Amino acid sequence: MRNKPTCFLFLIGILICLLLFAMNLASGSVLIPIQEVMGRFVGGEFSKSSWETIVIGYRIPKAFTAILAGIGLSLSGLQMQTFFRNPLAGPYVLGVSSGAGLGVALLIMAGSAFGWSIYSGGFGIWAVVFSATLGSILVLLLMSLTAWKVKDSMTLLIVGLMFGSAVSALISVLSYFSGADQLKMFTIWSMGSLGSTQPDQLVAFLVAVLLGLLPLLVNLKSFNAMLLGEAYAESMGVNVHRLRWAMIVSTGILAGSVTAFCGPIAFIGIAVPHMARLVFKTGDHRILFPASALIGAAVLLACDTISQLPGSAQTLPINAVTSLVGAPMVIWLILRRNFSKEF
């Protein structure tokens, strides 16, 4: 990261991210001039007191939520693509997102499906976060037990996909038997949202993301050796079994916490690592990890700004916007180059 072109790219990326952050704060049903937002950054005051309440109380937590979610999803995706040597692997391949969805589905829809009284919306976001986190942890434990028994990475990938399919089937059964109100509530959650995180919840989200980064940082150099396969990595002294556990734990915490606080957010984990490779033109993970984190934060800030429909009271689901941005990106990557050449 010491060469000048790489440092220049990081500088440009940081400036773009700051600009997108300011645009995100300025956009919404109430348009705030971006110069007012930037002036507030350097110690000025808004010309309207209501803008202070809007920006500080709502838009700043939402923008930081977008940054944390972008970092968590992009780093999860990069880890999985490298470890499994599969360019289409994403942070939800291990079934963590499906587990979080099952936890929320049980919370919201099990009552009407089985005649129980579990959730009426009174506990707010914390009940949803707790249920999603618990579901993610249960699937993560199952995957950990599988990793203990299974030594082949591709088998582990297939098992993760099967876990996700089985959990999705359970959610479909709950949806079939649930009432209209509960089904609507769950459907809205599954569309994803960055605007429901409060400042105290944002602190918990930050702590979760930092915990998810620890296994990654400890094994940073090992991912470079994995580019040429497990056998080569082992010949270079990498403990592949320990790296597999670190990847599962890191991905589970990062993707699980994002899903718990924001709902499912598609394509960021798949598309952003490839964008980082294209922009920085390197396979060195000492560069790719911070690059993916930076691009992930910028992309999700941009998607959130688009979803606000500036000047309108309507807001698009964040999952719809990321899919509209991410799906063409993945298709373009497939058409542009042979994926196998990247690995």
Side-chain angles (χ1 to χ4, degrees):
M1 215 177 338
R2 294 178 180 176
N3 60 81
K4 291 182 178 179
T6 300
C7 292
F8 178 73
L9 287 173
F10 272 108
L11 178 60
I12 294 297
I14 292 171
L15 292 175
I16 291 174
C17 201
L18 289 174
L19 178 61
L20 288 170
F21 183 79
M23 291 175 61
N24 189 266
L25 298 185
S27 300
S29 58
V30 177
L31 288 175
I32 301 174
I34 194 168
Q35 59 268 25
E36 293 256 357
V37 174
M38 292 184 168
R40 185 67 178 85
F41 282 166
V42 295
E45 297 290 338
F46 286 116
S47 58
K48 295 182 180 180
S49 59
S50 60
W51 291 352
E52 181 84 10
T53 303
I54 292 171
V55 170
I56 302 300
Y58 176 72
R59 292 186 182 175
I60 284 183
K62 181 169 62 69
F64 277 111
T65 299
I67 291 172
L68 291 175
I71 291 173
L73 293 175
S74 58
L75 293 184
S76 296
L78 180 57
Q79 286 184 83
M80 295 195 67
Q81 289 173 11
T82 300
F83 187 86
F84 293 117
R85 301 183 68 218
N86 186 329
L88 294 180
Y92 298 139
V93 170
L94 291 181
V96 177
S97 176
S98 298
L102 179 60
V104 176
L106 287 170
L107 174 73
I108 295 176
M109 298 190 294
S112 61
F114 301 109
W116 305 334
S117 179
I118 297 179
Y119 180 72
S120 60
F123 294 104
I125 184 66
W126 280 116
V128 175
V129 168
F130 177 79
S131 301
T133 303
L134 185 61
S136 299
I137 290 173
L138 290 176
V139 172
L140 180 59
L141 289 174
L142 290 174
M143 288 304 301
S144 299
L145 291 173
T146 304
W148 183 49
K149 293 289 186 180
V150 175
K151 305 301 180 184
D152 180 61
S153 296
M154 290 308 298
T155 303
L156 183 63
L157 184 65
I158 294 171
V159 171
L161 289 171
M162 295 303 101
F163 271 133
S165 298
V167 170
S168 297
L170 290 175
I171 294 175
S172 297
V173 172
L174 287 172
S175 301
Y176 181 80
F177 288 105
S178 69
D181 291 341
Q182 289 77 16
L183 182 58
K184 180 180 179 181
M185 193 183 303
F186 178 77
T187 302
I188 291 174
W189 175 84
S190 67
M191 291 179 179
S193 173
L194 300 173
S196 58
T197 307
Q198 302 301 316
D200 57 332
Q201 298 154 4
L202 188 60
V203 173
F205 191 13
L206 174 62
V207 171
V209 170
L210 292 176
L211 288 175
L213 292 178
L214 288 178
L216 184 155
L217 296 174
V218 171
N219 297 278
L220 188 61
K221 294 182 180 179
S222 300
F223 282 96
N224 282 341
M226 286 297 297
L227 289 173
L228 297 177
E230 292 186 16
Y232 175 80
E234 289 179 343
S235 70
M236 295 295 291
V238 175
N239 187 331
V240 175
H241 183 67
R242 188 184 70 180
L243 184 62
R244 183 189 292 116
W245 275 91
M247 182 272 299
I248 291 174
V249 171
S250 177
T251 302
I253 294 174
L254 290 173
S257 61
V258 172
T259 307
F261 284 95
C262 308
I265 299 179
F267 284 104
I268 297 296
I270 296 177
V272 168
H274 293 295
M275 295 172 66
R277 293 187 187 97
L278 288 173
V279 172
F280 286 82
K281 294 181 171 56
T282 182
D284 188 349
H285 284 73
R286 292 172 297 178
I287 295 175
L288 283 179
F289 276 119
S292 295
L294 183 62
I295 294 175
V299 168
L300 204 49
L301 279 172
C303 290
D304 184 52
T305 303
I306 294 171
S307 73
Q308 296 303 307
L309 298 176
S312 171
Q314 301 296 321
T315 302
L316 294 175
I318 188 65
N319 208 8
V321 179
T322 56
S323 297
L324 289 173
V325 172
M329 177 68 184
V330 173
I331 294 172
W332 176 74
L333 285 167
I334 293 173
L335 296 177
R336 183 181 184 275
R337 63 197 300 178
N338 183 351
F339 275 122
S340 62
K341 293 180 180 179
E342 293 185 354
F343 298 90

